[in-house]
Coordinates of all heavy atoms in Angstrom, one line a residue:
M1 N -17.7 -1.6 -8.9 CA -16.3 -1.6 -8.6 C -15.6 -0.5 -9.5 O -15.7 -0.6 -10.7 CB -15.6 -2.9 -8.7 CG -16.1 -4.0 -7.8 SD -15.1 -5.4 -7.7 CE -15.6 -6.2 -9.3
T2 N -14.9 0.4 -8.9 CA -14.3 1.4 -9.6 C -12.9 1.8 -9.1 O -12.7 1.8 -7.9 CB -15.1 2.7 -9.6 OG1 -16.5 2.4 -10.0 CG2 -14.6 3.8 -10.5
V3 N -12.0 2.0 -10.0 CA -10.7 2.6 -9.6 C -10.7 4.0 -9.9 O -11.2 4.5 -11.0 CB -9.5 1.9 -10.4 CG1 -8.2 2.6 -10.1 CG2 -9.4 0.4 -10.0
L4 N -10.3 4.8 -9.0 CA -10.4 6.3 -9.1 C -9.0 6.9 -9.1 O -8.1 6.4 -8.4 CB -11.1 6.8 -7.8 CG -12.5 6.2 -7.5 CD1 -12.9 6.6 -6.1 CD2 -13.5 6.6 -8.6
I5 N -8.8 8.0 -9.7 CA -7.5 8.8 -9.7 C -7.8 10.3 -9.6 O -8.8 10.8 -10.2 CB -6.7 8.4 -11.0 CG1 -5.3 9.0 -10.8 CG2 -7.4 8.9 -12.2 CD1 -4.3 8.4 -11.8
D6 N -7.1 10.9 -8.8 CA -7.2 12.4 -8.6 C -6.2 13.1 -9.5 O -5.3 12.4 -10.0 CB -7.2 12.8 -7.2 CG -5.9 12.6 -6.4 OD1 -4.9 12.1 -7.0 OD2 -5.9 12.9 -5.2
P7 N -6.3 14.4 -9.7 CA -5.4 15.1 -10.5 C -3.9 15.1 -10.0 O -3.7 15.0 -8.8 CB -5.9 16.6 -10.5 CG -7.3 16.5 -10.0 CD -7.4 15.3 -9.2
P8 N -3.0 15.1 -10.9 CA -1.6 15.1 -10.5 C -1.1 16.4 -9.9 O -0.3 17.1 -10.6 CB -0.8 14.7 -11.7 CG -1.7 15.2 -12.8 CD -3.1 15.1 -12.3
D9 N -1.6 16.8 -8.8 CA -1.2 18.1 -8.2 C -0.6 18.0 -6.8 O -0.6 18.9 -6.0 CB -2.4 19.1 -8.2 CG -3.6 18.6 -7.5 OD1 -3.5 17.5 -6.8 OD2 -4.7 19.2 -7.5
W10 N 0.0 16.8 -6.6 CA 0.7 16.6 -5.3 C 2.2 16.6 -5.5 O 2.7 15.7 -6.2 CB 0.2 15.2 -4.7 CG -1.2 15.2 -4.4 CD1 -2.2 14.9 -5.2 CD2 -1.8 15.6 -3.2 NE1 -3.4 15.0 -4.6 CE2 -3.2 15.5 -3.3 CE3 -1.3 16.1 -2.0 CZ2 -4.1 15.8 -2.3 CZ3 -2.2 16.3 -1.0 CH2 -3.6 16.2 -1.1
P11 N 2.9 17.5 -5.0 CA 4.4 17.6 -5.2 C 5.1 16.6 -4.3 O 4.7 16.3 -3.2 CB 4.7 19.0 -4.9 CG 3.7 19.4 -3.9 CD 2.4 18.7 -4.3
G12 N 6.2 16.1 -4.9 CA 7.1 15.2 -4.1 C 8.3 14.7 -5.0 O 8.0 14.3 -6.1
H13 N 9.4 14.8 -4.4 CA 10.6 14.2 -5.1 C 10.8 14.8 -6.5 O 11.2 14.1 -7.4 CB 10.5 12.7 -5.2 CG 10.3 12.1 -3.9 ND1 11.2 12.0 -2.9 CD2 9.2 11.5 -3.4 CE1 10.7 11.3 -1.8 NE2 9.5 11.0 -2.1
G14 N 10.5 16.1 -6.6 CA 10.7 16.8 -7.9 C 9.7 16.5 -9.0 O 9.9 16.8 -10.1
R15 N 8.6 15.8 -8.6 CA 7.5 15.5 -9.5 C 6.2 15.9 -9.0 O 6.1 16.2 -7.8 CB 7.5 13.9 -9.8 CG 8.7 13.4 -10.4 CD 8.4 11.9 -10.6 NE 9.6 11.2 -11.2 CZ 9.6 9.9 -11.4 NH1 8.6 9.2 -11.1 NH2 10.7 9.4 -11.9
M16 N 5.2 15.7 -9.8 CA 3.8 15.9 -9.4 C 3.1 14.5 -9.4 O 3.4 13.7 -10.3 CB 3.0 16.9 -10.3 CG 3.6 18.3 -10.2 SD 3.7 19.0 -8.6 CE 1.9 19.4 -8.4
W17 N 2.3 14.2 -8.5 CA 1.7 12.9 -8.3 C 0.2 12.9 -8.2 O -0.4 13.9 -7.7 CB 2.2 12.3 -7.0 CG 3.7 12.2 -7.0 CD1 4.6 13.2 -6.7 CD2 4.5 11.0 -7.4 NE1 5.9 12.7 -6.8 CE2 5.9 11.4 -7.2 CE3 4.2 9.8 -7.8 CZ2 6.9 10.5 -7.5 CZ3 5.2 8.9 -8.1 CH2 6.6 9.2 -7.9
S18 N -0.4 11.8 -8.5 CA -1.9 11.5 -8.3 C -2.0 10.4 -7.3 O -1.0 9.7 -7.0 CB -2.5 11.0 -9.6 OG -2.6 12.0 -10.6
H19 N -3.2 10.2 -6.8 CA -3.5 9.1 -5.9 C -4.4 8.2 -6.7 O -5.4 8.6 -7.3 CB -4.2 9.5 -4.6 CG -3.3 10.4 -3.8 ND1 -3.6 11.7 -3.6 CD2 -2.2 10.1 -3.1 CE1 -2.7 12.2 -2.8 NE2 -1.8 11.3 -2.5
L20 N -4.1 6.9 -6.6 CA -5.0 5.9 -7.3 C -5.6 5.0 -6.2 O -4.8 4.4 -5.4 CB -4.1 5.0 -8.2 CG -4.8 4.0 -9.1 CD1 -5.5 4.7 -10.3 CD2 -3.8 3.1 -9.7
V21 N -6.9 4.8 -6.2 CA -7.6 4.0 -5.2 C -8.7 3.2 -5.8 O -9.1 3.4 -7.0 CB -8.2 4.9 -4.1 CG1 -7.2 5.8 -3.4 CG2 -9.4 5.7 -4.6
S22 N -9.2 2.2 -5.1 CA -10.3 1.5 -5.5 C -11.4 1.7 -4.4 O -11.2 1.9 -3.3 CB -10.0 0.0 -5.4 OG -11.2 -0.8 -5.6
D23 N -12.7 1.8 -4.9 CA -13.8 1.9 -4.0 C -14.4 0.5 -3.7 O -15.5 0.4 -3.2 CB -14.8 2.9 -4.5 CG -15.6 2.4 -5.7 OD1 -15.3 1.3 -6.2 OD2 -16.5 3.1 -6.2
A24 N -13.7 -0.6 -4.1 CA -14.2 -1.9 -3.9 C -13.3 -2.8 -3.1 O -13.7 -3.4 -2.1 CB -14.5 -2.6 -5.2
S25 N -12.0 -2.8 -3.5 CA -11.1 -3.7 -2.8 C -9.6 -3.4 -3.1 O -9.3 -2.8 -4.1 CB -11.3 -5.2 -3.1 OG -10.9 -5.5 -4.5
F26 N -8.7 -3.8 -2.2 CA -7.3 -3.6 -2.4 C -6.9 -4.6 -3.5 O -5.9 -4.3 -4.3 CB -6.5 -3.8 -1.2 CG -6.7 -2.7 -0.2 CD1 -7.2 -2.9 1.1 CD2 -6.4 -1.4 -0.5 CE1 -7.4 -1.9 2.0 CE2 -6.6 -0.3 0.4 CZ -7.1 -0.6 1.6
D27 N -7.5 -5.8 -3.6 CA -7.1 -6.7 -4.7 C -7.4 -6.1 -6.1 O -6.5 -6.2 -7.0 CB -7.9 -8.0 -4.6 CG -7.5 -8.9 -3.4 OD1 -6.4 -8.7 -2.9 OD2 -8.3 -9.7 -3.0
E28 N -8.5 -5.4 -6.2 CA -8.8 -4.7 -7.5 C -7.7 -3.6 -7.7 O -7.2 -3.5 -8.9 CB -10.2 -4.1 -7.4 CG -10.5 -3.2 -8.7 CD -11.8 -2.5 -8.6 OE1 -12.1 -1.8 -7.6 OE2 -12.5 -2.5 -9.6
L29 N -7.4 -2.9 -6.7 CA -6.4 -1.8 -6.9 C -5.1 -2.3 -7.3 O -4.4 -1.8 -8.2 CB -6.3 -1.0 -5.5 CG -5.3 0.1 -5.5 CD1 -5.6 1.2 -6.5 CD2 -5.3 0.7 -4.1
H30 N -4.6 -3.4 -6.6 CA -3.3 -3.9 -6.9 C -3.2 -4.5 -8.3 O -2.2 -4.3 -9.0 CB -2.9 -5.0 -5.9 CG -2.7 -4.5 -4.5 ND1 -2.0 -3.4 -4.1 CD2 -3.2 -5.0 -3.3 CE1 -2.0 -3.2 -2.8 NE2 -2.8 -4.2 -2.3
A31 N -4.3 -5.1 -8.7 CA -4.3 -5.7 -10.1 C -4.3 -4.5 -11.1 O -3.6 -4.6 -12.1 CB -5.6 -6.5 -10.3
F32 N -5.0 -3.5 -10.9 CA -5.0 -2.3 -11.8 C -3.6 -1.7 -11.9 O -3.1 -1.4 -13.0 CB -6.1 -1.3 -11.3 CG -6.3 -0.2 -12.3 CD1 -7.4 -0.4 -13.3 CD2 -5.6 0.9 -12.4 CE1 -7.6 0.6 -14.2 CE2 -5.8 1.9 -13.3 CZ -6.9 1.7 -14.2
A33 N -3.0 -1.5 -10.7 CA -1.7 -0.9 -10.7 C -0.7 -1.8 -11.4 O 0.2 -1.3 -12.2 CB -1.2 -0.7 -9.2
R34 N -0.7 -3.1 -11.2 CA 0.2 -4.0 -12.0 C 0.0 -3.9 -13.5 O 1.0 -3.9 -14.2 CB -0.1 -5.5 -11.6 CG 0.6 -5.9 -10.3 CD 0.5 -7.4 -10.0 NE -0.8 -8.0 -10.1 CZ -1.6 -8.1 -9.0 NH1 -1.2 -7.6 -7.9 NH2 -2.8 -8.6 -9.2
G35 N -1.3 -3.7 -13.9 CA -1.5 -3.5 -15.3 C -0.9 -2.3 -15.9 O -0.6 -2.2 -17.1
L36 N -0.6 -1.3 -15.1 CA 0.1 0.0 -15.5 C 1.6 -0.1 -15.2 O 2.3 0.9 -15.4 CB -0.6 1.2 -14.8 CG -2.0 1.5 -15.2 CD1 -2.5 2.7 -14.3 CD2 -2.0 2.0 -16.7
D37 N 2.0 -1.2 -14.7 CA 3.4 -1.4 -14.3 C 3.8 -0.4 -13.2 O 5.0 0.1 -13.2 CB 4.4 -1.2 -15.5 CG 4.2 -2.4 -16.5 OD1 4.0 -3.5 -16.0 OD2 4.4 -2.2 -17.7
I38 N 2.9 -0.1 -12.3 CA 3.2 0.8 -11.2 C 3.8 -0.2 -10.1 O 3.3 -1.2 -9.7 CB 2.0 1.4 -10.6 CG1 1.4 2.4 -11.7 CG2 2.3 2.2 -9.3 CD1 0.0 2.9 -11.3
P39 N 5.1 0.2 -9.7 CA 5.7 -0.7 -8.7 C 5.0 -0.8 -7.4 O 4.4 0.2 -6.9 CB 7.1 -0.1 -8.6 CG 7.0 1.3 -9.0 CD 5.8 1.3 -10.0
A40 N 5.1 -1.9 -6.7 CA 4.5 -2.2 -5.4 C 4.9 -1.1 -4.4 O 4.2 -0.7 -3.5 CB 4.8 -3.6 -4.9
R41 N 6.1 -0.6 -4.5 CA 6.6 0.4 -3.6 C 5.8 1.7 -3.7 O 5.9 2.6 -2.8 CB 8.1 0.7 -3.8 CG 8.4 1.4 -5.1 CD 9.9 1.7 -5.2 NE 10.2 2.4 -6.5 CZ 10.5 1.8 -7.6 NH1 10.5 0.5 -7.7 NH2 10.7 2.5 -8.7
G42 N 5.0 1.9 -4.7 CA 4.1 3.0 -4.9 C 2.9 3.0 -4.0 O 2.2 3.9 -3.9
F43 N 2.7 1.8 -3.4 CA 1.5 1.6 -2.5 C 1.8 2.2 -1.1 O 2.8 1.8 -0.5 CB 1.1 0.2 -2.5 CG -0.2 -0.1 -1.7 CD1 -1.4 0.3 -2.2 CD2 -0.2 -0.7 -0.4 CE1 -2.6 0.1 -1.5 CE2 -1.3 -0.9 0.3 CZ -2.5 -0.5 -0.2
E44 N 0.9 3.0 -0.6 CA 1.0 3.6 0.7 C -0.3 3.5 1.4 O -1.2 4.2 1.2 CB 1.5 5.0 0.6 CG 1.7 5.6 2.0 CD 2.2 7.0 1.9 OE1 2.7 7.5 0.9 OE2 2.1 7.7 3.0
R45 N -0.4 2.5 2.3 CA -1.6 2.3 3.2 C -2.9 2.0 2.5 O -3.5 0.9 2.7 CB -1.8 3.5 4.1 CG -0.8 3.8 5.1 CD -1.1 5.0 6.0 NE -1.8 6.1 5.3 CZ -1.2 7.0 4.6 NH1 0.1 7.0 4.4 NH2 -2.0 8.0 4.1
D46 N -3.4 2.9 1.6 CA -4.7 2.7 1.0 C -4.7 3.2 -0.5 O -5.8 3.2 -1.1 CB -5.8 3.3 1.8 CG -5.5 4.8 2.0 OD1 -4.6 5.4 1.4 OD2 -6.3 5.4 2.9
H47 N -3.6 3.6 -1.0 CA -3.5 4.2 -2.3 C -2.1 4.0 -3.0 O -1.2 3.7 -2.3 CB -3.8 5.7 -2.3 CG -2.8 6.5 -1.6 ND1 -2.7 6.6 -0.2 CD2 -1.7 7.2 -2.1 CE1 -1.6 7.4 0.1 NE2 -1.0 7.7 -1.1
Y48 N -2.1 4.1 -4.3 CA -0.8 4.2 -5.0 C -0.5 5.6 -5.3 O -1.4 6.4 -5.7 CB -0.9 3.4 -6.3 CG -0.7 1.9 -6.1 CD1 -1.8 1.1 -5.9 CD2 0.6 1.4 -6.2 CE1 -1.6 -0.3 -5.7 CE2 0.7 0.0 -6.0 CZ -0.3 -0.8 -5.8 OH -0.2 -2.2 -5.6
D49 N 0.7 6.0 -5.2 CA 1.2 7.3 -5.7 C 1.6 7.1 -7.2 O 2.3 6.2 -7.5 CB 2.4 7.8 -4.9 CG 2.0 8.2 -3.5 OD1 0.9 8.7 -3.3 OD2 2.8 7.9 -2.6
V50 N 1.0 7.9 -8.0 CA 1.1 7.7 -9.5 C 1.7 9.0 -10.1 O 1.2 10.1 -9.9 CB -0.2 7.4 -10.2 CG1 -0.1 7.3 -11.6 CG2 -0.8 6.2 -9.6
P51 N 2.9 8.9 -10.7 CA 3.5 10.1 -11.3 C 2.6 10.7 -12.5 O 1.9 9.9 -13.1 CB 4.8 9.6 -11.9 CG 4.7 8.2 -12.1 CD 3.7 7.7 -11.1
R52 N 2.7 12.0 -12.6 CA 1.9 12.6 -13.7 C 2.0 12.0 -15.0 O 1.0 11.9 -15.7 CB 2.4 14.1 -13.8 CG 1.7 14.9 -14.9 CD 2.3 16.2 -15.2 NE 2.6 17.0 -14.1 CZ 1.8 18.1 -13.7 NH1 0.7 18.4 -14.4 NH2 2.2 18.8 -12.7
R53 N 3.1 11.4 -15.4 CA 3.3 10.8 -16.7 C 2.4 9.6 -16.9 O 2.1 9.2 -18.0 CB 4.7 10.4 -17.0 CG 5.3 9.3 -16.1 CD 6.7 8.9 -16.4 NE 7.2 8.0 -15.5 CZ 6.9 6.7 -15.5 NH1 6.2 6.2 -16.4 NH2 7.4 5.8 -14.6
L54 N 1.8 9.0 -15.8 CA 1.0 7.9 -15.9 C -0.5 8.2 -15.7 O -1.4 7.3 -15.8 CB 1.3 6.8 -15.0 CG 2.7 6.1 -15.2 CD1 3.0 5.0 -14.2 CD2 2.7 5.4 -16.6
Y55 N -0.8 9.5 -15.5 CA -2.2 9.9 -15.2 C -3.1 9.5 -16.4 O -4.1 8.9 -16.2 CB -2.2 11.4 -14.9 CG -3.6 12.0 -14.7 CD1 -4.3 11.8 -13.5 CD2 -4.3 12.7 -15.7 CE1 -5.5 12.3 -13.3 CE2 -5.5 13.2 -15.5 CZ -6.1 13.0 -14.3 OH -7.4 13.5 -14.0
Q56 N -2.8 10.0 -17.6 CA -3.6 9.7 -18.7 C -3.7 8.2 -19.0 O -4.8 7.7 -19.4 CB -3.2 10.5 -20.0 CG -4.1 10.4 -21.1 CD -5.5 11.1 -20.7 OE1 -5.5 12.1 -20.1 NE2 -6.6 10.5 -21.2
A57 N -2.6 7.5 -18.9 CA -2.7 6.0 -19.1 C -3.6 5.3 -18.1 O -4.3 4.4 -18.5 CB -1.3 5.4 -18.9
A58 N -3.7 5.8 -16.9 CA -4.6 5.2 -15.9 C -6.0 5.5 -16.3 O -6.9 4.6 -16.2 CB -4.3 5.8 -14.5
I59 N -6.3 6.6 -16.8 CA -7.7 7.0 -17.3 C -8.0 6.1 -18.5 O -9.1 5.5 -18.6 CB -7.8 8.5 -17.6 CG1 -7.7 9.2 -16.3 CG2 -9.1 8.7 -18.3 CD1 -7.6 10.7 -16.5
E60 N -7.1 6.0 -19.4 CA -7.3 5.2 -20.6 C -7.5 3.7 -20.3 O -8.2 3.0 -21.0 CB -6.2 5.3 -21.6 CG -6.2 6.7 -22.2 CD -5.0 7.1 -23.0 OE1 -4.1 6.2 -23.2 OE2 -4.9 8.2 -23.5
A61 N -6.9 3.2 -19.2 CA -7.1 1.9 -18.7 C -8.4 1.6 -17.9 O -8.7 0.5 -17.5 CB -5.9 1.5 -17.9
G62 N -9.1 2.7 -17.6 CA -10.4 2.6 -17.0 C -10.6 3.3 -15.7 O -11.6 3.2 -15.1
A63 N -9.5 4.0 -15.2 CA -9.7 4.7 -13.9 C -10.6 5.9 -14.1 O -10.6 6.5 -15.2 CB -8.3 5.2 -13.4
E64 N -11.4 6.2 -13.2 CA -12.3 7.3 -13.2 C -11.6 8.6 -12.6 O -11.2 8.5 -11.5 CB -13.6 7.1 -12.4 CG -14.6 8.2 -12.4 CD -15.8 7.9 -11.6 OE1 -16.1 6.7 -11.3 OE2 -16.5 8.9 -11.2
A65 N -11.5 9.6 -13.4 CA -10.9 10.9 -12.9 C -11.9 11.6 -12.0 O -13.0 11.9 -12.4 CB -10.5 11.7 -14.1
V66 N -11.4 11.9 -10.8 CA -12.3 12.6 -9.8 C -11.4 13.6 -9.1 O -10.2 13.6 -9.2 CB -12.9 11.6 -8.8 CG1 -13.9 10.6 -9.5 CG2 -11.8 10.8 -8.0
T67 N -12.1 14.5 -8.4 CA -11.3 15.4 -7.6 C -10.7 14.7 -6.4 O -11.1 13.6 -6.0 CB -12.2 16.6 -7.0 OG1 -13.2 16.0 -6.2 CG2 -12.9 17.3 -8.2
S68 N -9.8 15.3 -5.8 CA -9.1 14.7 -4.5 C -10.2 14.6 -3.5 O -10.2 13.6 -2.7 CB -8.0 15.6 -4.0 OG -7.0 15.7 -5.0
R69 N -11.1 15.5 -3.3 CA -12.1 15.5 -2.3 C -13.1 14.3 -2.6 O -13.4 13.5 -1.7 CB -12.9 16.8 -2.3 CG -14.0 16.8 -1.2 CD -14.6 18.2 -1.2 NE -13.6 19.1 -0.9 CZ -13.5 19.8 0.3 NH1 -14.4 19.6 1.2 NH2 -12.5 20.6 0.6
E70 N -13.5 14.1 -3.8 CA -14.3 13.0 -4.2 C -13.6 11.6 -4.0 O -14.2 10.7 -3.5 CB -14.8 13.1 -5.6 CG -15.7 12.0 -6.1 CD -17.1 11.9 -5.5 OE1 -17.5 12.9 -4.8 OE2 -17.7 10.9 -5.6
L71 N -12.3 11.6 -4.3 CA -11.6 10.3 -4.1 C -11.6 10.0 -2.7 O -11.8 8.8 -2.3 CB -10.1 10.5 -4.6 CG -9.2 9.4 -4.6 CD1 -8.3 9.3 -5.8 CD2 -8.3 9.5 -3.3
L72 N -11.3 10.9 -1.8 CA -11.2 10.6 -0.4 C -12.6 10.2 0.2 O -12.7 9.3 1.0 CB -10.7 11.9 0.4 CG -10.6 11.7 1.9 CD1 -9.7 10.6 2.3 CD2 -10.1 13.0 2.5
K73 N -13.6 10.9 -0.3 CA -15.0 10.6 0.1 C -15.4 9.2 -0.2 O -15.9 8.4 0.6 CB -16.0 11.6 -0.5 CG -17.4 11.3 -0.3 CD -18.3 12.3 -1.0 CE -19.8 12.0 -0.9 NZ -20.2 11.2 -2.0
R74 N -15.1 8.8 -1.4 CA -15.5 7.4 -1.9 C -14.6 6.3 -1.3 O -15.1 5.2 -0.9 CB -15.5 7.4 -3.4 CG -16.6 8.2 -3.9 CD -16.7 8.4 -5.4 NE -16.8 7.2 -6.1 CZ -16.9 7.1 -7.5 NH1 -16.8 8.3 -8.2 NH2 -16.9 6.0 -8.1
L75 N -13.3 6.6 -1.0 CA -12.4 5.7 -0.4 C -12.9 5.5 1.1 O -13.0 4.3 1.6 CB -11.0 6.2 -0.3 CG -9.9 5.4 0.3 CD1 -9.8 4.1 -0.4 CD2 -8.6 6.1 0.4
T76 N -13.3 6.5 1.8 CA -13.8 6.4 3.1 C -15.1 5.7 3.2 O -15.3 4.8 4.0 CB -13.9 7.9 3.7 OG1 -12.6 8.5 3.7 CG2 -14.4 7.8 5.2
E77 N -16.1 6.0 2.3 CA -17.4 5.4 2.2 C -17.2 3.9 2.0 O -18.1 3.1 2.5 CB -18.3 6.0 1.2 CG -18.8 7.4 1.6 CD -19.5 8.1 0.5 OE1 -19.6 7.6 -0.7 OE2 -20.1 9.1 0.7
A78 N -16.2 3.5 1.2 CA -16.0 2.1 0.9 C -15.4 1.3 2.1 O -15.3 0.1 2.1 CB -15.1 1.9 -0.3
G79 N -15.0 2.1 3.2 CA -14.4 1.4 4.3 C -12.9 1.0 4.1 O -12.4 0.2 4.8
L80 N -12.3 1.6 3.1 CA -10.9 1.2 2.7 C -9.9 2.3 3.1 O -8.7 2.1 2.9 CB -10.8 1.0 1.2 CG -11.6 -0.2 0.7 CD1 -11.6 -0.3 -0.8 CD2 -11.2 -1.5 1.3
R81 N -10.3 3.4 3.8 CA -9.4 4.4 4.2 C -8.5 4.0 5.3 O -9.1 3.5 6.3 CB -10.2 5.7 4.6 CG -9.4 6.8 5.1 CD -8.7 7.5 3.9 NE -8.1 8.8 4.3 CZ -6.8 9.0 4.3 NH1 -6.0 8.1 3.9 NH2 -6.4 10.1 4.7
R82 N -7.2 4.2 5.2 CA -6.3 3.8 6.3 C -5.4 5.0 6.5 O -4.3 5.1 6.0 CB -5.4 2.6 5.8 CG -6.1 1.3 5.7 CD -5.2 0.3 5.3 NE -5.8 -1.0 5.1 CZ -5.3 -2.0 4.5 NH1 -4.1 -2.0 4.0 NH2 -5.9 -3.2 4.4
P83 N -5.9 6.0 7.3 CA -5.1 7.2 7.5 C -3.8 7.0 8.3 O -3.7 6.0 9.1 CB -6.1 8.1 8.3 CG -7.0 7.2 9.0 CD -7.1 6.0 8.1
K84 N -2.9 7.9 8.1 CA -1.6 7.8 9.0 C -2.0 8.1 10.4 O -3.0 8.8 10.7 CB -0.7 8.9 8.5 CG 0.0 8.6 7.2 CD 1.0 9.8 6.9 CE 1.7 9.5 5.6 NZ 2.7 10.6 5.3
R85 N -1.3 7.5 11.3 CA -1.6 7.8 12.7 C -1.3 9.2 13.1 O -2.0 9.8 13.9 CB -0.8 6.8 13.6 CG -1.3 5.4 13.4 CD -0.6 4.5 14.4 NE -1.1 3.1 14.1 CZ -0.7 2.1 14.7 NH1 0.2 2.2 15.6 NH2 -1.2 0.9 14.5
R86 N -0.2 9.8 12.6 CA 0.2 11.1 12.9 C 0.6 11.8 11.6 O 1.2 11.2 10.8 CB 1.3 11.2 13.9 CG 1.0 10.5 15.2 CD 2.0 10.7 16.2 NE 1.5 11.8 17.0 CZ 2.2 12.7 17.7 NH1 3.5 12.6 17.7 NH2 1.6 13.6 18.4
G87 N 0.3 13.1 11.5 CA 0.9 13.8 10.4 C 0.0 13.7 9.1 O -1.2 13.4 9.2
G88 N 0.6 13.9 8.0 CA 0.0 14.1 6.7 C -1.1 13.1 6.3 O -1.2 12.0 6.9
S89 N -1.9 13.5 5.4 CA -3.0 12.6 4.9 C -3.4 13.1 3.5 O -3.0 14.1 3.0 CB -4.2 12.6 5.8 OG -4.7 13.9 5.9
L90 N -4.3 12.3 2.9 CA -4.9 12.8 1.6 C -5.7 14.1 2.0 O -6.3 14.2 3.0 CB -5.9 11.8 1.1 CG -5.3 10.5 0.5 CD1 -6.4 9.5 0.1 CD2 -4.5 10.8 -0.8
R91 N -5.7 15.0 1.1 CA -6.4 16.3 1.3 C -7.9 16.0 1.5 O -8.5 15.2 0.8 CB -6.2 17.1 0.1 CG -6.6 18.6 0.2 CD -6.4 19.4 -1.0 NE -5.0 19.3 -1.4 CZ -4.5 19.7 -2.6 NH1 -5.4 20.1 -3.5 NH2 -3.3 19.6 -2.9
S92 N -8.5 16.7 2.4 CA -9.9 16.5 2.6 C -10.7 17.6 2.2 O -10.3 18.7 1.9 CB -10.2 16.2 4.1 OG -9.7 17.1 4.9

């Protein structure tokens, strides 16, 4: 069981963001996010949006730093990917 985080290179709302996912379960992901005080509103379908300022804290708490491509691959292989029906998605 691993929590993964990609680099904070996703722009939005005047900030740069990372994605935080689990390759095991949403329960693991939610517990990890709570430990970093990431609000529940940061959860979107299958990942948390994490501001750049929390990137290093997530790694220090045990998240594995991976590329966006690797994050998406492992999320999909785990069967936890929940893509939007129309429009944007995690970079592939």
Side-chain angles (χ1 to χ4, degrees):
M1 296 191 286
T2 305
V3 174
L4 310 166
I5 191 164
D6 65 0
D9 56 7
W10 297 89
H13 308 286
R15 295 182 182 178
M16 297 302 284
W17 301 83
S18 293
H19 297 111
L20 187 73
V21 304
S22 168
D23 69 357
S25 74
F26 291 119
D27 289 338
E28 176 188 44
L29 177 60
H30 295 312
F32 192 92
R34 279 191 305 272
L36 290 174
D37 293 324
I38 298 170
R41 71 179 178 272
F43 184 71
E44 185 179 342
R45 295 179 326 277
D46 55 14
H47 68 278
Y48 279 89
D49 291 323
V50 178
R52 178 191 309 259
R53 67 179 174 78
L54 292 178
Y55 177 77
Q56 191 60 41
I59 292 170
E60 290 170 6
E64 179 183 341
V66 296
T67 65
S68 297
R69 184 173 298 249
E70 179 68 13
L71 181 140
L72 181 58
K73 175 181 174 269
R74 290 175 58 184
L75 180 64
T76 301
E77 287 174 352
L80 297 174
R81 179 76 170 112
R82 294 180 179 167
K84 287 183 180 179
R85 291 187 180 176
R86 302 189 97 205
S89 65
L90 290 173
R91 192 181 302 164
S92 55

